[in-house]
Amino acid sequence: MNFSEYQLLTVLAQEMNMRKAAERLFVSQPALSQRLQTIEKAWETKIFIRSQKGLTLTPAGEEIIKLAQDVMMREEQVRESIQAMDRKVYGTLKIACATIVGQNWLPKVLKRYVNKYPQAKISLVTGWSSDILKALYDDTVHIGIIRGTPDWKGVRHHLFKDHLYLVDTEMNKLEDVLKTNRPFIQFKSDSNYYQEIQNWWHHHFQSTPKQTIVVDQIETCKQMALNGIGYAILPAITIQNHDVDIFKIPLLDEHNEHLERDTWLLGYEKSFELQQVQAFVEVVKEYIEETSMQ
């Protein structure tokens, strides 16, 4: 098979739908169907089974798709190696980023990056820190941005710390927490963030909240707090300057110091040899230096 046929099979395996795959490949469905039949004839086996619900891979098809994906990945690696030799910054920068950072901090950095390097492309996925680490271990991204303290043996750059606050529309001091009957709104996290909050809570109050609501996303947690449904503990990165109709009470530890969360940029050494990654790191450093002086 030639390279375009490997690409065709890879897109079909991703979409598992002839119409969607045809749209991505900029061909008509009949033309795509004809090319697939030609490929299956060359392999002398069915690769996909078609039905009204879409496509299903045959056992033989699974093996052929693995080959196609390997060829596509190897081709991209070769392109990146060639691009790394060039002075221009282009190619695809693959980032996996903790959702909270992807929503509140990363867009400002990426705006600078794309303005400075318009020929570069960006592939971004967001999720929990465990998802980010898995993407790094699987070598599907160049760099990862995670929250907390990472157990990572590769290259890592500390990006920033942000303080934690108890946020509410009514309470303006911590002692009021023991008096209110309104719920404590928490968001799910797979990092040590939840345990840190629990430890802080028990140290200060020696009790549990009277009522708790747990939500999936930090943005949902924030919006519920901003709308007066209850109170929440949020990192400073999520609290914007225009969020003025709320009280922000800093969380202090037993030494009367601010409770903080770290954010790190991680990757393997080979990734930091790529020019698009080096350029991104430089933009990040410039942005952090400028914002720290404001």
Side-chain angles (χ1 to χ4, degrees):
M1 291 196 300
N2 59 42
F3 178 77
S4 65
E5 289 171 333
Y6 286 119
Q7 184 182 36
L8 180 150
L9 290 178
T10 302
V11 172
L12 277 170
Q14 290 170 348
E15 298 294 344
M16 298 303 278
N17 180 284
M18 292 292 290
R19 178 183 60 79
K20 292 181 180 178
E23 289 175 355
R24 277 185 58 184
L25 293 165
F26 300 101
V27 298
S28 67
Q29 265 189 255
L32 178 58
S33 179
Q34 177 90 34
R35 289 183 66 185
L36 177 58
Q37 288 177 16
T38 301
I39 294 170
E40 289 179 329
K41 186 176 180 181
W43 280 98
E44 298 181 345
T45 186
K46 276 282 184 186
I47 299 174
F48 295 95
I49 297 172
R50 304 188 204 185
S51 69
Q52 291 182 341
K53 293 183 179 180
L55 300 175
T56 303
L57 277 169
T58 65
E62 290 179 1
E63 294 301 314
I64 295 170
I65 292 300
K66 285 179 185 177
L67 172 63
Q69 290 171 338
D70 288 343
V71 170
M72 294 294 293
M73 182 177 293
R74 180 59 185 148
E75 186 269 352
E76 187 171 7
Q77 290 171 346
V78 171
R79 285 185 181 275
E80 288 178 349
S81 297
I82 294 171
Q83 289 164 6
M85 302 173 191
D86 202 304
R87 292 183 180 180
K88 293 181 180 178
V89 176
Y90 53 93
T92 303
L93 173 67
K94 300 177 186 177
I95 308 173
C97 181
T99 301
I100 183 175
V101 181
Q103 290 173 339
N104 298 281
W105 181 84
L106 186 61
K108 299 169 188 174
V109 176
L110 288 181
K111 182 179 179 181
R112 290 181 176 223
Y113 181 77
V114 297
N115 286 340
K116 194 170 183 178
Y117 306 107
Q119 292 175 309
K121 298 178 182 178
I122 296 169
S123 171
L124 173 64
V125 294
T126 60
W128 283 355
S129 291
S130 60
D131 300 326
I132 311 309
L133 288 171
K134 184 177 186 303
L136 284 168
Y137 287 130
D138 291 345
D139 207 18
T140 58
V141 296
H142 297 132
I143 52 177
I145 300 175
I146 75 162
R147 301 279 282 174
T149 304
D151 181 16
W152 179 253
K153 306 303 182 185
V155 179
R156 60 183 195 171
H157 296 282
H158 185 263
L159 297 182
F160 58 87
K161 291 178 180 286
D162 54 336
H163 297 167
L164 300 183
Y165 293 90
L166 189 143
V167 175
D168 191 38
T169 56
E170 297 182 12
M171 297 184 292
N172 61 4
K173 54 183 182 295
L174 283 177
E175 300 78 58
D176 293 341
V177 169
L178 298 174
K179 303 172 187 176
T180 186
N181 289 317
R182 294 161 63 245
F184 175 36
I185 305 167
Q186 295 177 280
F187 61 92
K188 292 180 180 178
S189 172
D190 67 339
S191 68
N192 61 349
Y193 176 85
Y194 180 81
Q195 191 58 50
E196 287 181 15
I197 298 303
Q198 293 294 307
N199 294 341
W200 174 87
W201 187 282
H202 287 296
H203 175 76
H204 276 75
F205 302 118
Q206 289 80 47
S207 64
T208 57
K210 295 177 183 177
Q211 187 183 165
T212 302
I213 297 175
V214 180
V215 297
D216 287 336
Q217 299 291 333
I218 191 170
E219 185 61 26
T220 306
C221 176
K222 174 186 171 181
Q223 291 303 323
M224 291 178 74
L226 293 182
N227 283 278
I229 296 171
Y231 58 97
I233 292 176
L234 297 171
I237 189 176
T238 66
I239 307 170
Q240 307 302 322
N241 293 332
H242 59 263
D243 296 330
V244 293
D245 298 327
I246 56 172
F247 294 106
K248 296 177 286 187
I249 307 169
L251 269 58
L252 304 177
D253 62 18
E254 60 269 24
H255 304 296
N256 214 34
E257 295 181 352
H258 283 279
L259 222 60
E260 298 174 320
R261 292 288 286 165
D262 290 295
T263 299
W264 293 83
L265 185 150
L266 314 175
Y268 289 112
E269 191 170 341
K270 64 178 182 180
S271 293
F272 287 91
E273 295 173 2
L274 297 171
Q275 288 203 0
Q276 66 264 41
V277 176
Q278 293 174 0
F280 178 76
V281 172
E282 288 303 313
V283 169
V284 166
K285 288 179 179 178
E286 291 171 6
Y287 177 78
I288 290 174
E289 286 176 9
E290 289 180 22
T291 53
S292 65
M293 293 185 291
Q294 294 176 0

PDB file of all heavy atoms in Angstrom, residues 26-40:
ATOM      1  N   PHE A  26     -11.905  14.587   2.419  1.00  0.00           N
ATOM      2  CA  PHE A  26     -12.305  15.442   1.302  1.00  0.00           C
ATOM      3  C   PHE A  26     -12.539  14.638   0.028  1.00  0.00           C
ATOM      4  O   PHE A  26     -12.103  15.011  -1.069  1.00  0.00           O
ATOM      5  CB  PHE A  26     -11.251  16.539   1.050  1.00  0.00           C
ATOM      6  CG  PHE A  26     -11.029  17.442   2.227  1.00  0.00           C
ATOM      7  CD1 PHE A  26      -9.930  17.270   3.062  1.00  0.00           C
ATOM      8  CD2 PHE A  26     -11.935  18.460   2.509  1.00  0.00           C
ATOM      9  CE1 PHE A  26      -9.733  18.099   4.150  1.00  0.00           C
ATOM     10  CE2 PHE A  26     -11.749  19.296   3.599  1.00  0.00           C
ATOM     11  CZ  PHE A  26     -10.634  19.112   4.430  1.00  0.00           C
ATOM     12  N   VAL A  27     -13.220  13.511   0.189  1.00  0.00           N
ATOM     13  CA  VAL A  27     -13.625  12.701  -0.968  1.00  0.00           C
ATOM     14  C   VAL A  27     -15.097  12.353  -0.805  1.00  0.00           C
ATOM     15  O   VAL A  27     -15.676  12.502   0.272  1.00  0.00           O
ATOM     16  CB  VAL A  27     -12.789  11.399  -1.080  1.00  0.00           C
ATOM     17  CG1 VAL A  27     -11.331  11.721  -1.299  1.00  0.00           C
ATOM     18  CG2 VAL A  27     -12.978  10.523   0.154  1.00  0.00           C
ATOM     19  N   SER A  28     -15.698  11.887  -1.876  1.00  0.00           N
ATOM     20  CA  SER A  28     -17.097  11.464  -1.796  1.00  0.00           C
ATOM     21  C   SER A  28     -17.174  10.071  -1.169  1.00  0.00           C
ATOM     22  O   SER A  28     -16.189   9.318  -1.181  1.00  0.00           O
ATOM     23  CB  SER A  28     -17.714  11.434  -3.191  1.00  0.00           C
ATOM     24  OG  SER A  28     -17.106  10.418  -3.976  1.00  0.00           O
ATOM     25  N   GLN A  29     -18.352   9.742  -0.629  1.00  0.00           N
ATOM     26  CA  GLN A  29     -18.525   8.413  -0.039  1.00  0.00           C
ATOM     27  C   GLN A  29     -18.316   7.301  -1.059  1.00  0.00           C
ATOM     28  O   GLN A  29     -17.641   6.314  -0.760  1.00  0.00           O
ATOM     29  CB  GLN A  29     -19.914   8.303   0.606  1.00  0.00           C
ATOM     30  CG  GLN A  29     -19.900   8.617   2.093  1.00  0.00           C
ATOM     31  CD  GLN A  29     -21.217   8.303   2.748  1.00  0.00           C
ATOM     32  OE1 GLN A  29     -21.975   9.205   3.055  1.00  0.00           O
ATOM     33  NE2 GLN A  29     -21.494   7.044   2.961  1.00  0.00           N
ATOM     34  N   PRO A  30     -18.894   7.423  -2.279  1.00  0.00           N
ATOM     35  CA  PRO A  30     -18.670   6.360  -3.272  1.00  0.00           C
ATOM     36  C   PRO A  30     -17.189   6.173  -3.601  1.00  0.00           C
ATOM     37  O   PRO A  30     -16.713   5.051  -3.746  1.00  0.00           O
ATOM     38  CB  PRO A  30     -19.458   6.847  -4.493  1.00  0.00           C
ATOM     39  CG  PRO A  30     -20.529   7.726  -3.929  1.00  0.00           C
ATOM     40  CD  PRO A  30     -19.894   8.405  -2.760  1.00  0.00           C
ATOM     41  N   ALA A  31     -16.458   7.305  -3.698  1.00  0.00           N
ATOM     42  CA  ALA A  31     -15.024   7.211  -4.011  1.00  0.00           C
ATOM     43  C   ALA A  31     -14.272   6.530  -2.875  1.00  0.00           C
ATOM     44  O   ALA A  31     -13.374   5.709  -3.107  1.00  0.00           O
ATOM     45  CB  ALA A  31     -14.457   8.599  -4.266  1.00  0.00           C
ATOM     46  N   LEU A  32     -14.647   6.860  -1.645  1.00  0.00           N
ATOM     47  CA  LEU A  32     -14.007   6.234  -0.482  1.00  0.00           C
ATOM     48  C   LEU A  32     -14.321   4.745  -0.437  1.00  0.00           C
ATOM     49  O   LEU A  32     -13.441   3.921  -0.165  1.00  0.00           O
ATOM     50  CB  LEU A  32     -14.490   6.910   0.807  1.00  0.00           C
ATOM     51  CG  LEU A  32     -13.935   6.335   2.122  1.00  0.00           C
ATOM     52  CD1 LEU A  32     -12.416   6.406   2.135  1.00  0.00           C
ATOM     53  CD2 LEU A  32     -14.523   7.077   3.313  1.00  0.00           C
ATOM     54  N   SER A  33     -15.556   4.399  -0.711  1.00  0.00           N
ATOM     55  CA  SER A  33     -15.968   2.994  -0.716  1.00  0.00           C
ATOM     56  C   SER A  33     -15.193   2.210  -1.767  1.00  0.00           C
ATOM     57  O   SER A  33     -14.747   1.081  -1.527  1.00  0.00           O
ATOM     58  CB  SER A  33     -17.469   2.901  -0.977  1.00  0.00           C
ATOM     59  OG  SER A  33     -17.890   1.562  -1.003  1.00  0.00           O
ATOM     60  N   GLN A  34     -15.008   2.833  -2.939  1.00  0.00           N
ATOM     61  CA  GLN A  34     -14.283   2.176  -4.034  1.00  0.00           C
ATOM     62  C   GLN A  34     -12.820   1.927  -3.643  1.00  0.00           C
ATOM     63  O   GLN A  34     -12.269   0.844  -3.887  1.00  0.00           O
ATOM     64  CB  GLN A  34     -14.342   3.083  -5.273  1.00  0.00           C
ATOM     65  CG  GLN A  34     -13.577   2.556  -6.460  1.00  0.00           C
ATOM     66  CD  GLN A  34     -14.431   1.662  -7.359  1.00  0.00           C
ATOM     67  OE1 GLN A  34     -15.623   1.887  -7.519  1.00  0.00           O
ATOM     68  NE2 GLN A  34     -13.823   0.637  -7.903  1.00  0.00           N
ATOM     69  N   ARG A  35     -12.199   2.927  -3.005  1.00  0.00           N
ATOM     70  CA  ARG A  35     -10.794   2.786  -2.606  1.00  0.00           C
ATOM     71  C   ARG A  35     -10.642   1.715  -1.527  1.00  0.00           C
ATOM     72  O   ARG A  35      -9.673   0.952  -1.525  1.00  0.00           O
ATOM     73  CB  ARG A  35     -10.255   4.128  -2.105  1.00  0.00           C
ATOM     74  CG  ARG A  35     -10.077   5.159  -3.207  1.00  0.00           C
ATOM     75  CD  ARG A  35      -9.488   6.448  -2.691  1.00  0.00           C
ATOM     76  NE  ARG A  35      -8.127   6.273  -2.209  1.00  0.00           N
ATOM     77  CZ  ARG A  35      -7.428   7.244  -1.623  1.00  0.00           C
ATOM     78  NH1 ARG A  35      -7.975   8.432  -1.440  1.00  0.00           N
ATOM     79  NH2 ARG A  35      -6.189   7.018  -1.218  1.00  0.00           N
ATOM     80  N   LEU A  36     -11.616   1.662  -0.606  1.00  0.00           N
ATOM     81  CA  LEU A  36     -11.570   0.641   0.435  1.00  0.00           C
ATOM     82  C   LEU A  36     -11.682  -0.752  -0.170  1.00  0.00           C
ATOM     83  O   LEU A  36     -10.964  -1.682   0.231  1.00  0.00           O
ATOM     84  CB  LEU A  36     -12.671   0.869   1.462  1.00  0.00           C
ATOM     85  CG  LEU A  36     -12.783  -0.176   2.585  1.00  0.00           C
ATOM     86  CD1 LEU A  36     -11.466  -0.282   3.355  1.00  0.00           C
ATOM     87  CD2 LEU A  36     -13.931   0.157   3.530  1.00  0.00           C
ATOM     88  N   GLN A  37     -12.558  -0.906  -1.134  1.00  0.00           N
ATOM     89  CA  GLN A  37     -12.713  -2.208  -1.800  1.00  0.00           C
ATOM     90  C   GLN A  37     -11.414  -2.625  -2.496  1.00  0.00           C
ATOM     91  O   GLN A  37     -11.038  -3.805  -2.462  1.00  0.00           O
ATOM     92  CB  GLN A  37     -13.854  -2.131  -2.823  1.00  0.00           C
ATOM     93  CG  GLN A  37     -15.242  -2.065  -2.205  1.00  0.00           C
ATOM     94  CD  GLN A  37     -16.339  -1.924  -3.244  1.00  0.00           C
ATOM     95  OE1 GLN A  37     -16.116  -2.155  -4.431  1.00  0.00           O
ATOM     96  NE2 GLN A  37     -17.518  -1.518  -2.798  1.00  0.00           N
ATOM     97  N   THR A  38     -10.736  -1.647  -3.093  1.00  0.00           N
ATOM     98  CA  THR A  38      -9.471  -1.934  -3.774  1.00  0.00           C
ATOM     99  C   THR A  38      -8.408  -2.402  -2.772  1.00  0.00           C
ATOM    100  O   THR A  38      -7.667  -3.361  -3.029  1.00  0.00           O
ATOM    101  CB  THR A  38      -8.971  -0.675  -4.511  1.00  0.00           C
ATOM    102  OG1 THR A  38      -9.956  -0.254  -5.459  1.00  0.00           O
ATOM    103  CG2 THR A  38      -7.652  -0.953  -5.234  1.00  0.00           C
ATOM    104  N   ILE A  39      -8.371  -1.734  -1.612  1.00  0.00           N
ATOM    105  CA  ILE A  39      -7.408  -2.116  -0.575  1.00  0.00           C
ATOM    106  C   ILE A  39      -7.720  -3.513  -0.045  1.00  0.00           C
ATOM    107  O   ILE A  39      -6.818  -4.348   0.140  1.00  0.00           O
ATOM    108  CB  ILE A  39      -7.422  -1.088   0.571  1.00  0.00           C
ATOM    109  CG1 ILE A  39      -6.911   0.272   0.081  1.00  0.00           C
ATOM    110  CG2 ILE A  39      -6.575  -1.567   1.745  1.00  0.00           C
ATOM    111  CD1 ILE A  39      -7.125   1.404   1.076  1.00  0.00           C
ATOM    112  N   GLU A  40      -9.003  -3.798   0.220  1.00  0.00           N
ATOM    113  CA  GLU A  40      -9.408  -5.112   0.736  1.00  0.00           C
ATOM    114  C   GLU A  40      -9.106  -6.211  -0.291  1.00  0.00           C
ATOM    115  O   GLU A  40      -8.704  -7.318   0.079  1.00  0.00           O
ATOM    116  CB  GLU A  40     -10.886  -5.093   1.101  1.00  0.00           C
ATOM    117  CG  GLU A  40     -11.193  -4.261   2.349  1.00  0.00           C
ATOM    118  CD  GLU A  40     -12.669  -4.220   2.688  1.00  0.00           C
ATOM    119  OE1 GLU A  40     -13.493  -4.280   1.755  1.00  0.00           O
ATOM    120  OE2 GLU A  40     -13.006  -4.112   3.892  1.00  0.00           O
TER     121      GLU A  40
END
